[in-house]
Amino acid sequence: LTPAKVARILGLLNHISPGPRLIMMLNHLKNYPDPLVAARATVLVGRRIRSLKWVKDRLAATDPRIRAAAVEGLWGNDADSARELLWKYQVDENDRVVGNALVGLHLLGEPKVPELVKGMILDSRPAFRGTAAWVMGEIGGAEFVEALQAAMADSNMAVSLAAARALAMAGQGAAAQQRLALQKKERAKPMPAP
């Protein structure tokens, strides 16, 4: 199997098998040479193992995808130690790590999350603005509509697209869905020859 297929299978297993039975069989994949496979295995095992030591080990990784996956593995874990780690990693140099920490904190009912996400969508770095739009889409809610509509006009296409997707996910009108369709069509056009 190719690494892409293994990563896809791990993603599917993560969604269809909530129990801990897969941990022993798949834990070794957290060190797989392909970073996507390692990240997917980290999420899958992290959501099931509930071991602070294991999560901290993964958070020490230099690859931000692994750290982001470890943070995602904390989603739904209401232990004080998990909550502390989510707060710690909502300030990170990588946008995905921060985004996953904010979603995790939202899932724990932290009331400060919406304001943090609204601040993140104003960040000077496009990757952080795009991730903020994704977080807003994951969280949902009318409180983000204005910020997402403004982000659809972002000069960075990836940010604009993320905002359109978030609005479409929230069912916020045909305009966002139309823009998303137009952007997909633009990206599908062949690049002119040099």
Side-chain angles (χ1 to χ4, degrees), residues 70 83 97 144:
R83 189 179 297 263
V97 174
F144 297 126

Side-chain angles (χ1 to χ4, degrees), residues 4-95:
K5 286 182 181 179
V6 173
R8 177 78 176 133
I9 291 167
L10 288 171
L12 291 170
L13 286 172
N14 189 39
H15 289 290
I16 64 172
S17 180
R21 289 182 276 173
L22 296 172
I23 293 172
M24 294 296 286
M25 196 172 12
L26 300 175
N27 188 38
H28 71 282
L29 292 176
K30 74 182 189 303
N31 296 319
Y32 199 79
D34 182 87
L36 182 59
V37 172
R40 293 276 172 89
T42 297
V43 171
L44 188 144
V45 174
R47 284 192 174 166
R48 288 156 182 81
I49 201 164
R50 306 290 184 181
S51 163
L52 186 60
K53 182 184 179 312
W54 188 91
V55 171
K56 283 183 174 180
D57 177 57
R58 302 312 297 153
L59 287 169
T62 57
D63 187 329
R65 288 172 288 201
I66 301 300
R67 290 196 331 273
V71 169
E72 184 178 344
L74 293 170
W75 289 1
N77 186 340
D78 199 13
D80 289 341
S81 56
R83 189 179 297 263
E84 287 173 22
L85 282 173
L86 289 170
W87 276 113
K88 177 181 178 181
Y89 284 93
Q90 64 88 25
V91 178
D92 191 85
E93 73 228 18
N94 182 269
D95 61 296

Side-chain angles (χ1 to χ4, degrees), residues 101-152:
L102 290 170
V103 170
L105 289 166
H106 166 75
L107 292 172
L108 295 177
E110 289 290 344
K112 293 180 182 177
V113 171
E115 290 309 312
L116 292 170
V117 180
K118 286 178 185 177
M120 186 177 175
I121 205 158
L122 301 174
D123 194 284
S124 63
R125 298 163 290 182
F128 278 78
R129 294 194 307 272
T131 297
W134 171 79
V135 171
M136 289 177 176
E138 289 294 306
I139 292 172
E143 67 189 308
F144 297 126
V145 171
E146 189 176 319
L148 287 168
Q149 287 172 337
M152 283 180 57

